[in-house]
Amino acid sequence: DGGITQSPKYLFRKEGQNVTLSCEQNLNHDAMYWYRQDPGQGLRLIYYSQIVNDFQKGDIAEGYSVSREKKESFPLTVTSAQKNPTAFYLCASSLWGPSGELFFGEGSRLTVL
Amino acid sequence: AQTVTQSQPEMSVQEAETVTLSCTYDTSESDYYLFWYKQPPSRQMILVIRQEAYKQQNATENRFSVNFQKAAKSFSLKISDSQLGDAAMYFCAYIEGNTGKLIFGQGTTLQVKP
């Protein structure tokens, strides 16, 4: 079935460690996105990519990095520079354009110990 | 910058009753899209309904409908015949036409009472 797969679902990290969250889609979508969700808050955009080998910062990109080497994949690295990384992370994809509906993965819960 | 505001952090409704969730937005664009997404306890985001700004007719999807007031920049979601499975967090969202970025409101948690 077509969809978006995020892994791992739960991840624990010690302070000072980098961690990479995986996001893979088989929907042949051009655009991919990473959002962060904190309790009681809406989704905030971290990074997005419209095409392969290109990506732009969202509203809260500091302490994060991404790559888009393949159309299907858009991994997110949470670096040690991210001051408050404990959160729920959602990956999404869409056909490019203003009418493109976003399809979401099931999310990854990152906890920093 | 475009903003989306949901002023109701929590709402509750009796099963089989109707409830309306509010959303306002701010934009200088003339053509855009608005969305309502549902996030149940599983946390999987699901598209509920979509409205194209240039269409005057309000979108409808089964028990879900919107009241789109373009001049007032208001986009409310009406859920009719509420069911227990409707209990979730609902997000209003606006898509930027030139970037394709989806901007979300803060969300409204809907409780459905049996």
Side-chain angles (χ1 to χ4, degrees):
Chain A
D1 286 354
I4 300 177
T5 302
Q6 286 187 242
S7 63
K9 196 167 185 178
Y10 299 96
L11 186 61
F12 297 88
R13 185 194 98 176
K14 292 182 180 179
E15 281 194 25
Q17 289 181 335
N18 291 354
V19 62
T20 297
L21 307 180
S22 170
C23 178
E24 303 278 333
Q25 55 98 359
N26 60 4
L27 300 167
N28 199 31
H29 284 168
D30 304 303
M32 297 188 73
Y33 310 81
W34 274 105
Y35 285 90
R36 169 180 171 142
Q37 185 177 22
D38 294 287
Q41 296 191 33
L43 280 66
R44 293 183 291 169
L45 184 63
I46 305 172
Y47 269 98
Y48 65 103
S49 168
Q50 302 171 12
I51 57 172
V52 174
N53 293 322
D54 188 40
F55 48 83
Q56 287 76 38
K57 292 181 179 180
D59 301 316
I60 54 165
E62 185 175 351
Y64 299 97
S65 66
V66 293
S67 63
R68 187 85 187 275
E69 298 177 0
K70 298 186 299 182
K71 188 175 185 177
E72 307 79 31
S73 178
F74 191 44
L76 173 74
T77 297
V78 185
T79 73
S80 56
Q82 168 52 231
K83 297 191 185 329
N84 185 19
T86 294
F88 186 66
Y89 292 88
L90 281 162
C91 179
S93 71
S94 72
L95 292 171
W96 183 243
S99 64
E101 171 191 345
L102 261 64
F103 291 80
F104 286 84
E106 294 184 339
S108 294
R109 174 71 185 176
L110 172 64
T111 302
V112 174
L113 304 173
Chain B
Q2 289 85 353
T3 58
V4 179
T5 302
Q6 294 177 251
S7 59
Q8 305 154 316
E10 296 180 355
M11 293 281 286
S12 67
V13 62
Q14 207 70 32
E15 195 175 6
E17 297 290 308
T18 296
V19 65
T20 298
L21 308 183
S22 301
C23 173
T24 58
Y25 60 94
D26 187 26
T27 182
S28 56
E29 295 182 326
S30 59
D31 193 16
Y32 46 87
Y33 289 77
L34 296 161
F35 304 82
W36 278 98
Y37 278 86
K38 170 185 177 181
Q39 187 179 42
S42 68
R43 308 200 76 169
Q44 175 83 53
M45 296 284 283
I46 302 164
L47 178 66
V48 175
I49 201 165
R50 170 170 59 192
Q51 175 76 42
E52 300 170 57
Y54 68 89
K55 288 188 176 180
Q56 293 187 346
Q57 186 174 7
N58 289 326
T60 299
E61 287 287 342
N62 300 316
R63 297 182 295 108
F64 298 87
S65 61
V66 299
N67 183 5
F68 173 49
Q69 302 288 329
K70 190 172 184 179
K73 295 181 182 175
S74 170
F75 183 59
S76 61
L77 174 70
K78 185 172 82 171
I79 306 175
S80 304
D81 186 24
S82 296
Q83 301 175 0
L84 295 177
D86 294 334
M89 191 165 221
Y90 287 82
F91 291 96
C92 178
Y94 166 99
I95 198 161
E96 284 190 345
N98 57 344
T99 66
K101 288 166 37 177
L102 202 59
I103 299 168
F104 287 87
Q106 305 90 325
T108 296
T109 299
L110 178 65
Q111 181 185 25
V112 181
K113 298 178 181 178

